Amino acid sequence: MTGRPRTLSVTGYATAHFGKSLWWNGSELLLAFYLTEYLELHGVVAGCAIACGLMVGAVMDVVVANRRHWFASARRAGRMQIIGAFGSLMALMVLLAAASMIGTLRLATVIVANILYRFAYVFYDLPQNCMLGLIDWSRDEQRKAASARTAAGAGALVTISLAASVPTYSGIRAIVLVAAGTCVALASAAWLWRATRGLPESRYAVPSSAQASIGRPLAIMAIVCLTVPAFSKLAPYMATYAPGASPMPLLLILGIGTAISQPIWLAMIRRSGETMAMCVAGGLLIIGALAATGGAIGSAAACIGMASGGLGTSIWAMFAAAVATGSPLNAAPAFARLTATAKVALAVAAIGLGELLSVTEYRDDGSRLIPAMALLTLSGGIAVIAVSYASRVFRRGTRAGSA
């Protein structure tokens, strides 16, 4: 791994990820609620609008990643992510402006702004992701970085949840909160850009096929994004419309569960590996689903939050280790496959959730969404365990056969 920089701290990288996650969590977890409850779009229409943006983002991930040299070093990646941050801000302003429009113009603005945001966000997200495989961290440092970015993302979720739970949510207050989040995101992106400016360019000039397999983390990412986010995306509806809903938002519990569990997950991964951690996380998803069906929605959120933390850290650590075995010119295409897989799965899930919202009278009783939330979470937990265990058995068989 000679020629790759080793001067960027894990803490600095995680701080930049926190700023980026403010926008990601806001657009992914609260966008559906914003479209259906504030812009009053039909559930199916809102789901399709979100899915359209996600699919554009997935395509752009793959297309942009073909410009391998743009992301072939941490220095270049740092420059691209600050450009993407400013582009994302411009698109976000257009999306917020849709609230002042009516009828067809509002819908058209939402769709166009969502697509523009997804396009700009690629240049913000992909470079930061590539740094996991470009920086000359040891295996343990990669795991620390994956855990730190998961905790930072959870911190962003907690921040958004606290902001969104403020009573008497006025338009001026919303603008102030968006502006504050924007300042944090831009400041952290600017810091990361400055931190990487002095790093050397990569010595690798051509792509290499010598890279470890990335099939397993891709499969787990698809499963997780297709099933688990249903709980977090429907949580705002639960908190708003469920009779006697707790003032403590479920998103807050999810975020805290993800963050505080990181030391445990990191220790488990160091001791037993990512595969074992994913199996345990799958078990927590099943427990969370069962708790939700029993009415313990807060306990369910805690279990699902902790499971999400384990899965996120395991997937990114495993993927970064695989990418680091190849040429830096392979980093962008590889990470683009991971994020594109996630976005396609999220797009499919968005359409399904939009249909669910359109046929469920959740405004009369938000708890009517619990069975769907539990079923999807249960399915995700079972699938994660099955794929993780199957891959573990397959690897053992392959090693035995080669011996």
Side-chain angles (χ1 to χ4, degrees):
M1 295 182 17
T2 302
R4 294 180 180 179
R6 191 169 185 160
T7 54
L8 188 64
S9 69
V10 170
T11 301
Y13 175 77
T15 301
H17 184 72
F18 170 80
K20 184 185 69 171
S21 296
L22 288 175
W23 280 351
W24 173 257
N25 284 322
S27 64
E28 284 308 302
L29 300 180
L30 300 180
L31 181 56
F33 190 79
Y34 172 72
L35 295 181
T36 58
E37 307 309 301
Y38 284 88
L39 300 190
E40 300 180 348
L41 298 182
H42 189 271
V44 174
V45 175
C48 289
I50 295 172
C52 182
L54 285 166
M55 291 301 295
V56 169
V59 172
M60 290 309 305
D61 278 344
V62 177
V63 172
V64 171
N66 284 328
R67 308 295 297 181
R68 298 167 183 258
H69 291 277
W70 289 358
F71 314 96
S73 68
R75 179 179 176 180
R76 297 183 185 185
R79 182 170 58 246
M80 290 304 303
Q81 59 93 34
I82 188 65
I83 295 173
F86 278 101
S88 299
L89 171 61
M90 297 298 103
L92 182 61
M93 293 300 101
V94 176
L95 182 62
L96 292 177
S100 62
M101 303 174 186
I102 60 174
T104 305
L105 180 60
R106 169 181 287 186
L107 176 60
T109 302
V110 167
I111 294 176
V112 171
N114 193 23
I115 292 174
L116 289 176
Y117 175 77
R118 299 295 178 182
F119 173 74
Y121 189 79
V122 170
F123 292 91
Y124 188 16
D125 182 50
L126 183 59
Q128 286 195 15
N129 293 337
C130 287
M131 289 183 187
L132 272 179
L134 291 171
I135 299 171
D136 192 12
W137 281 322
S138 66
R139 184 74 179 95
D140 189 62
E141 287 172 326
Q142 283 181 334
R143 287 169 166 168
K144 286 181 180 178
S147 178
R149 65 173 277 148
T150 302
L157 177 59
V158 169
T159 302
I160 291 175
S161 179
L162 288 173
S165 64
V166 175
T168 63
Y169 203 70
S170 66
I172 295 178
R173 184 172 296 170
I175 293 174
V176 171
L177 291 173
V178 170
T182 298
C183 289
V184 173
L186 292 180
S188 62
W191 180 91
L192 186 60
W193 170 57
R194 292 195 62 182
T196 56
R197 284 178 66 183
L199 299 180
E201 295 288 351
S202 172
R203 297 178 185 176
Y204 294 86
V206 295
S208 170
S209 60
Q211 178 176 293
S213 173
I214 57 176
R216 184 157 46 120
L218 285 176
I220 299 296
M221 178 66 87
I223 293 169
V224 170
C225 291
L226 191 62
T227 58
V228 179
F231 193 94
S232 56
K233 290 184 177 181
L234 294 177
Y237 296 93
M238 279 284 299
T240 303
Y241 298 111
S246 170
M248 180 73 74
L250 294 177
L251 289 180
L252 183 59
I253 301 175
L254 285 167
I256 292 175
T258 298
I260 66 174
S261 64
Q262 283 312 301
I264 299 174
W265 291 119
L266 186 57
M268 183 181 298
I269 289 172
R270 285 168 169 167
R271 180 178 179 85
S272 304
E274 286 83 0
T275 301
M276 178 58 69
M278 288 190 291
C279 287
V280 174
L284 276 176
L285 287 177
I286 294 175
I287 294 173
L290 296 177
T293 58
I297 196 70
S299 298
C303 289
I304 294 170
M306 289 187 289
S308 298
L311 290 169
T313 297
S314 299
I315 290 171
W316 285 99
M318 185 184 298
F319 202 86
V323 171
T325 62
S327 164
L329 288 175
N330 290 342
F335 278 103
R337 289 176 63 185
L338 182 65
T339 54
T341 298
K343 289 172 184 176
V344 170
L346 287 170
V348 174
I351 295 175
L353 293 179
E355 178 64 27
L356 173 66
L357 291 173
S358 68
V359 300
T360 305
E361 297 295 335
Y362 61 88
R363 291 187 178 93
D364 295 332
D365 184 359
S367 61
R368 292 175 179 172
L369 296 170
I370 291 179
M373 297 164 70
L375 178 60
L376 286 168
T377 303
L378 178 65
S379 301
I382 294 173
V384 164
I385 293 174
V387 172
S388 300
Y389 182 76
S391 64
R392 190 182 185 94
V393 172
F394 177 78
R395 285 204 327 276
R396 286 179 177 174
T398 301
R399 290 172 184 171
S402 62

